[in-house]
Amino acid sequence: MVQLKSPRELETMAAGGKIMFAAHEAVRAAVRPGASTLDLDRVCENFIRSHEGATPSFKGLYGFPASICASINEEIVHGIPSAKRVLREGDIISVDIGVFFGGMHTDSARTWPVGPVDADTERLLRVTETSLEAGIEACVIGNHIGDIGAAIEGVVLKGRLTVVRELVGHGVGFQMHEEPQVPNHGKPKRGMKLVPGLTLAIEPMVNLGTAATRTLSDKWTVVTADGKRSAHFEHTVAITEQGPRVLTR
Ligand code: MG
Ligand code: MG
């Protein structure tokens, strides 16, 4: 069932989204060679909890043990923070965060370079972020879910990259994952029609090589099947009469 949000609930999500954006900036400041993904997790959790009433959504969700998903290089999503996973110069690190505030969830991910990265990786980051913006621009009343995926995939293919298909965006708000699913590929005018009060996590996951994925034996970490790098950018977006409203920046 799709659950629409009232104007008041949107304002609560926007307040949580502000904490989210600042949490990403706090993590970004801690991204450097030698930092572990557990260090980043601690920074994020402490930052979120320093705001009265805010908690990390991911901790305990489906049994996930940490506050962030931290996915390095060929890891696409759901990497578990660990003291043993240490960043090196030239790596990329995808950080996915959920914030629960005032009874509402927001969801946002960023991929950061660790110092200078190679040209292919720069293209991967640039194109993935641009594809997210194209997906957000498609979040207008009268469009359909398929228009979002079509916009994202168009940018990705033009950038000579591939879209992960096994993992999708989703409704978000009362729960972390709500209906509808929002694939990062699709056909215009297909799927549910976008209406005011719908809140979506738009989250392209984009690969340098094959779109195919596999899951590691930890049962969480999803990696590219060919070991090439992957990037992930995500915002929580509300459909409004005034156009798309990004709640997490
Ligand atoms: Mg996320
Ligand atoms: Mg999400």
Side-chain angles (χ1 to χ4, degrees):
M1 189 186 65
V2 172
Q3 296 169 282
L4 302 180
K5 282 77 185 178
S6 69
R8 200 174 149 194
E9 286 158 348
L10 285 188
E11 292 313 316
T12 301
M13 289 178 72
K18 275 198 176 141
I19 299 170
M20 164 74 80
F21 182 82
H24 270 297
E25 291 301 311
V27 171
R28 173 191 212 164
V31 168
R32 64 175 71 95
S36 75
T37 54
L38 188 64
D39 294 334
L40 302 183
D41 185 71
R42 295 274 156 80
V43 165
C44 187
E45 178 158 2
N46 290 338
F47 185 87
I48 291 171
R49 291 190 193 279
S50 74
H51 295 76
E52 181 79 37
T55 53
S57 301
F58 294 168
K59 201 151 202 183
L61 184 69
Y62 314 123
F64 191 76
S67 296
I68 64 170
C69 296
S71 309
I72 300 174
N73 296 341
E74 79 283 2
E75 297 171 352
I76 302 168
V77 286
H78 304 164
I80 301 171
S82 162
K84 291 182 194 146
R85 295 306 306 280
V86 175
L87 299 176
R88 290 174 304 188
E89 185 160 296
D91 284 346
I92 53 172
I93 168 80
S94 297
V95 177
D96 196 352
I97 304 176
V99 170
F100 185 63
F101 178 75
M104 307 295 290
H105 295 277
T106 51
D107 189 8
S108 175
R110 309 286 297 270
T111 302
W112 306 114
V114 184
V117 293
D118 63 69
D120 277 344
T121 301
E122 267 181 23
R123 175 166 55 94
L124 173 67
L125 298 183
R126 192 177 61 242
V127 170
T128 309
E129 195 165 11
T130 305
S131 76
L132 171 59
E133 293 305 323
I136 292 168
E137 279 172 28
C139 287
V140 293
I141 294 168
N143 264 357
H144 297 246
I145 291 291
D147 289 284
I148 300 171
I152 289 170
E153 191 177 35
V155 170
V156 172
L157 295 181
K158 221 171 132 190
R160 294 170 288 123
L161 300 167
T162 62
V163 164
V164 172
R165 290 176 172 245
E166 288 93 340
L167 299 151
V168 297
H170 49 91
V172 59
F174 303 113
Q175 272 113 44
M176 193 67 215
H177 297 114
E178 300 177 348
E179 288 181 41
Q181 292 199 345
V182 186
N184 294 303
H185 61 95
K187 290 201 169 78
K189 304 298 161 207
R190 298 282 176 85
M192 182 192 159
K193 220 172 186 180
L194 304 183
V195 294
L198 187 62
T199 45
L200 301 173
I202 312 289
E203 51 176 315
M205 289 148 272
V206 174
N207 298 350
L208 265 180
T210 178
T213 71
R214 65 189 179 87
T215 303
L216 298 185
S217 58
D218 65 14
K219 301 231 175 38
W220 280 106
T221 315
V222 182
V223 300
T224 58
D226 61 5
K228 292 190 178 170
R229 290 180 167 192
S230 183
H232 183 206
F233 285 83
E234 176 181 35
H235 274 305
T236 297
V237 182
I239 315 300
T240 79
E241 303 280 0
Q242 290 77 40
R245 180 180 176 191
V246 181
L247 299 171
T248 44
R249 72 175 162 210

